[in-house]
Amino acid sequence: MSEPTIHLLVGTSKGAFVLDGDGDRAHWRVRGPYCDGWPINHAVGDPATGTMWAGGGSDWTGAGVWRSDDAGHTWELTKLTTGQLDQWAANDPGFAAMMGWTEEPAPFGDRFAQVWSLGRSGGRLYAGTKPAMLLVSDDDGRTWDEVKGLSDHPSREEWVPGGAGLVLHTIVADPQDPERMWLGISSAGVFATTDGGVTWERRNDLADPHAGDAYDHPASASDGHTGLCVHHLEGAPGGRLYQQNHHGVWRSDDGAGTWHDVTAGLPSTFGFPLWAHPRDGGTVWTLPLNGDMEGRFPPDASAAVWRSRDAGATWEAMREGLPQETCFFTVLRQGMTGDHQDPAGVYFGTNSGSVFASRDEGESWSEVARHLPTVLSVDVVLEPAALPVAGS
């Protein structure tokens, strides 16, 4: 294989992995696991510098963010909270020596056990946690502060956990305005800031107040707002946003001020991942699952990525190269992504340890990795030299 020009960062239940791809995205090499085998909920990279970060943790390890400046070959941990390991080691010198543990202060004590999401905006790095908090770093993840404007939001007492707990799982930055961001919290809904996190607005209103009237489901839209168990948010060109909810897919054309139901044409109302085209705000991909109580696998056990070219007005199933029988995998909320090449590449990972890639915007698929641990997230980092040149 030639020198890699593209990397897939894969967060799994047993560490981070890197898939190195060549220029035509046809050949891939898997390396890892990294990050000491920690559960990595989300791994992301900075397309300008190639720096990578991986956020995760557990009750055992505590929470932290790992950083790599050499394309993911070596990683350094910034520990944020303590876990059971720290408690044991602090009281057992022999265990501490065996684990190579040294006592270091954790800036957030034991307030949360996991980092669930990462996002970059205007030179700042953000992290979402479980239970839901937002952290910010001004030095590329070496030190962190709590974003008090969200922690002290007046609605805080109303937030309730989803099936995975009360998690801040999605951070979407506005590429044109670093002060503007959106967050997805299960199950508290969508929040937006226009002043860099000083203040936040809850933005879950329906464009059509009656959009949820046809559904009889506890997580469906009601009382004039989308269901608050948002599963994933995705930003798109032109200021558009897409949302995969516990019940339905939604689109906003006004910065999450109002949401339009675009579920019609999909085989189910349930799913986790979304990815939007980097240049066309009307093109979006999702991978529906059969339902929250039906097993959470592709409908009819036949895998398909569904694509819309008209902002969700219509959908088409893309199946070539995907398993069409006895397929019971799940794709989680950060498990789908894409690159900025032309045509755009689209990628997703499964809880059965596979990573699938499409070089033609979803028309066809190939399995580029298999037998990994449960895949929790997938992200793309291009080598800086391979980035598109502005205006080209």
Side-chain angles (χ1 to χ4, degrees):
M1 184 178 122
S2 60
E3 285 298 311
T5 61
I6 183 172
H7 309 284
L8 293 184
L9 299 184
V10 182
T12 81
S13 58
K14 298 180 180 179
F17 292 78
V18 181
L19 275 62
D20 297 319
D22 56 13
D24 63 4
R25 300 170 291 181
H27 302 94
W28 298 87
R29 180 177 58 220
V30 179
R31 52 186 171 87
Y34 300 110
C35 306
D36 287 356
W38 275 36
I40 297 298
N41 292 312
H42 198 198
V44 302
D46 184 342
T49 65
T51 300
M52 301 173 179
W53 296 272
S58 66
D59 290 339
W60 172 247
T61 63
V65 175
W66 298 78
R67 172 192 164 108
S68 174
D69 291 315
D70 59 2
H73 290 277
T74 61
W75 295 79
E76 181 180 355
L77 171 65
T78 296
K79 190 86 176 288
L80 299 177
T81 63
T82 59
Q84 295 167 355
L85 181 153
D86 300 280
Q87 298 172 17
W88 283 24
N91 295 302
D92 186 337
F95 178 74
M98 180 182 72
M99 300 298 294
W101 180 87
T102 57
E103 187 170 5
E104 297 180 7
F108 297 95
D110 60 358
R111 293 180 62 188
F112 52 88
Q114 297 180 5
V115 170
W116 263 66
S117 56
L118 296 168
R120 192 152 174 82
S121 180
R124 294 177 131 192
L125 186 64
Y126 292 87
T129 71
K130 172 188 175 181
M133 291 171 52
L134 183 66
L135 311 180
V136 61
S137 173
D138 290 309
D139 56 10
D140 283 346
R142 296 175 179 87
T143 61
W144 294 84
D145 294 302
E146 180 180 359
V147 178
K148 289 284 192 178
L150 183 70
S151 298
D152 297 337
H153 195 274
S155 69
R156 181 82 192 199
E157 292 186 0
E158 302 171 11
W159 301 2
V160 296
L166 182 64
V167 294
L168 197 166
H169 53 65
T170 312
I171 302 168
V172 176
D174 185 337
Q176 307 303 318
D177 182 357
E179 299 292 293
R180 200 169 181 227
M181 290 188 302
W182 297 267
L183 308 176
I185 302 176
S186 295
S187 290
V190 176
F191 291 78
T193 183
T194 58
D195 56 16
V198 178
T199 61
W200 295 85
E201 293 182 0
R202 209 173 184 185
R203 295 190 180 177
N204 304 284
D205 291 344
L206 299 176
D208 174 4
H210 301 291
D213 291 351
Y215 299 117
D216 182 19
H217 189 283
S220 66
S222 62
D223 301 323
H225 58 70
T226 64
L228 297 182
C229 191
V230 54
H231 280 181
H232 187 67
L233 285 175
E234 194 70 30
R240 180 169 279 159
L241 292 166
Y242 293 95
Q243 174 189 159
Q244 171 68 65
N245 201 284
H246 191 103
H247 198 277
V249 178
W250 303 82
R251 187 195 76 234
S252 176
D253 302 319
D254 57 7
T258 57
W259 293 92
H260 300 265
D261 187 357
V262 294
T263 314
L266 291 171
S268 77
T269 59
F270 184 83
F272 289 103
L274 284 168
W275 189 66
H277 197 285
R279 293 174 295 276
D280 176 8
T283 297
V284 61
W285 295 262
T286 188
L287 202 153
L289 303 175
N290 60 349
D292 53 358
M293 303 298 288
E294 286 77 31
R296 303 188 176 197
F297 54 82
D300 301 319
S302 177
V305 173
W306 290 72
R307 183 181 67 192
S308 175
R309 294 287 202 190
D310 51 18
T314 61
W315 296 90
E316 57 181 330
M318 326 296 287
R319 298 182 182 274
E320 184 179 339
L322 298 178
Q324 295 303 291
E325 296 181 346
T326 60
C327 177
F328 300 103
F329 62 54
T330 297
V331 180
L332 298 172
R333 67 185 86 244
Q334 302 285 16
M336 177 179 283
T337 191
D339 63 44
H340 287 219
Q341 301 192 65
D342 191 8
V346 189
Y347 311 91
F348 70 88
T350 74
N351 69 336
S352 55
S354 293
V355 177
F356 289 88
S358 171
R359 296 185 290 164
D360 51 16
E361 304 199 347
E363 296 288 343
S364 62
W365 297 86
S366 59
E367 188 180 31
V368 298
R370 62 176 60 177
H371 307 315
L372 297 177
T374 296
V375 174
L376 304 176
S377 73
V378 183
D379 194 41
V380 172
V381 181
L382 289 177
E383 287 289 320
L387 290 170
V389 177
S392 64

